[in-house]
Amino acid sequence: MASVQANGITIEYDTFGQRGNRPLLLVMGLGAQMIHWRAEFCEQLADAGHFVVRYDNRDVGLSTRFDSAGVPDMAAIMMQLAQGEPVSTAYTLDDMAEDGFGVLDALDLETAHICGASMGGMIVQQMAIRRPARVKSLTSIMSSTGNRDLPPAKPEALAALMSPPGTTLDEVIERSVSVSSVIGSPGYPADPAEVRARALEAYQRAHYPIGVARQMAAVAANGSRKSALERLDLPALVIHGAADPLVPLEAGVDTHQALRGSQLMVLDGMGHDLPKPLWGQIVARITRLTTAAN
């Protein structure tokens, strides 16, 4: 792993595969470090002909933290948005999109295929909206357009996401197991021992839960991207779990409908995670898209 100075901040990144292969930027979701793109998954993508780049979003992992911005009042922000009032946040989704381009710039990659999961899907959508000429293809996984008319998360999934992060290592690890059991894939239940091991790895690498609220504020303030996505004309793939309790399938369908000519891949039994038994199918579909669009 290495770091670059990009978009005015320090961003930690990692690569897999040969540099001359099709560049594929992976953007992870809310509060999740780049290591949540599992190395084995990245290696499969690299073996399929990609030069894979993953990185820590701002305010998570080993990238720049925005401690001085404090913790946003999400209740007040949501109230302001509901009343149509302007919202001030530590940074915006546009800033996070420019971080992605900053990583590409640092690696001398003028164009790339971009793929994001959950909040990462929102970031890559915003990247395509801002600089479509630099995007060879877009893959949005278990994400949303931000359309406020879509069904909300199931109450138990939202409660799991908003549960206290824990103050000790044991509490953090057990919370990860609990959250996984609620929002994960019912058709492919995660092994609690593996969840604990991944949580320990993330904790030891860079435990920083306070950044989640600032990322969440940036997502909320961005609003709906649907009309902007409808104006795009680029190869796109939308992947969504049929059993996602956090970002319901309707959000994936809405994204697919907004992205003209996009492909939709609905995976039965998949919740709000990327279960290992589905990696092969996901890698194959992404590879088909990037090969055709390269």
Side-chain angles (χ1 to χ4, degrees):
M1 297 182 185
S3 63
V4 296
Q5 298 300 309
N7 197 27
I9 64 173
T10 300
I11 302 177
E12 189 80 3
Y13 76 96
D14 196 11
T15 65
F16 298 81
Q18 298 299 313
R19 185 177 176 83
N21 288 345
R22 298 185 301 280
L24 175 62
L25 184 74
L26 300 181
V27 188
M28 191 29 83
L30 182 71
Q33 301 179 45
M34 67 174 170
I35 58 174
H36 284 83
W37 292 111
R38 307 305 299 169
E40 302 93 327
F41 180 76
C42 295
E43 287 163 359
Q44 287 187 27
L45 285 165
D47 290 343
H50 298 100
F51 175 56
V52 179
V53 182
R54 63 178 183 175
Y55 69 96
D56 284 328
N57 286 312
R58 58 174 60 201
D59 243 353
V60 71
L62 300 177
S63 292
T64 293
R65 298 173 177 180
F66 288 74
D67 298 294
S68 62
V71 181
D73 184 340
M74 287 305 299
I77 287 174
M78 298 310 292
M79 180 70 72
Q80 288 174 295
L81 290 172
Q83 295 175 350
E85 298 176 0
V87 172
S88 177
T89 58
Y91 46 80
T92 66
L93 207 67
D94 284 319
D95 293 324
M96 301 184 82
E98 288 302 315
D99 293 344
F101 285 122
V103 173
L104 296 180
D105 290 340
L107 295 174
D108 294 321
L109 296 170
E110 179 59 30
T111 60
H113 304 277
I114 58 177
C115 171
S118 196
M119 180 189 74
M122 303 174 192
I123 292 171
V124 297
Q125 290 172 24
Q126 197 67 17
M127 289 178 70
I129 290 166
R130 290 177 65 81
R131 301 174 187 261
R134 297 193 63 180
V135 177
K136 289 188 173 185
S137 73
L138 164 67
T139 299
S140 180
I141 304 175
M142 56 189 181
S143 194
S144 171
T145 64
N147 180 358
R148 302 196 190 283
D149 293 330
L150 290 168
K154 290 186 177 180
E156 61 271 23
L158 188 58
L161 181 69
M162 302 300 292
S163 62
T167 57
T168 68
L169 173 58
D170 286 345
E171 289 175 353
V172 170
I173 289 176
E174 292 311 310
R175 177 187 181 273
S176 295
V177 175
S178 176
V179 171
S180 175
S181 69
V182 175
I183 71 172
S185 298
Y188 307 91
D191 179 351
E194 291 186 8
V195 176
R196 289 187 175 94
R198 292 197 300 268
L200 176 61
E201 178 188 10
Y203 184 94
Q204 292 176 332
R205 179 176 182 265
H207 181 61
Y208 187 66
I210 196 171
V212 172
R214 291 189 288 266
Q215 291 183 347
M216 192 177 296
V219 169
N222 187 250
S224 176
R225 293 169 297 283
K226 187 170 184 178
S227 61
L229 291 172
E230 289 172 341
R231 293 191 291 272
L232 293 178
D233 183 16
L234 51 78
L237 169 64
V238 177
I239 301 174
H240 217 99
D244 192 330
L246 187 62
V247 182
L249 176 58
E250 289 87 345
V253 173
D254 188 58
T255 305
H256 164 58
Q257 291 173 343
L259 288 165
R260 186 173 8 141
S262 65
Q263 306 166 36
L264 176 63
M265 181 183 193
V266 177
L267 292 165
D268 290 336
M270 176 174 148
H272 201 74
D273 61 0
L274 291 173
K276 192 170 184 177
L278 296 177
W279 287 0
Q281 295 180 54
I282 293 170
V283 168
R285 285 297 292 271
I286 292 174
T287 300
R288 190 186 312 169
L289 175 76
T290 61
T291 302
N294 204 45

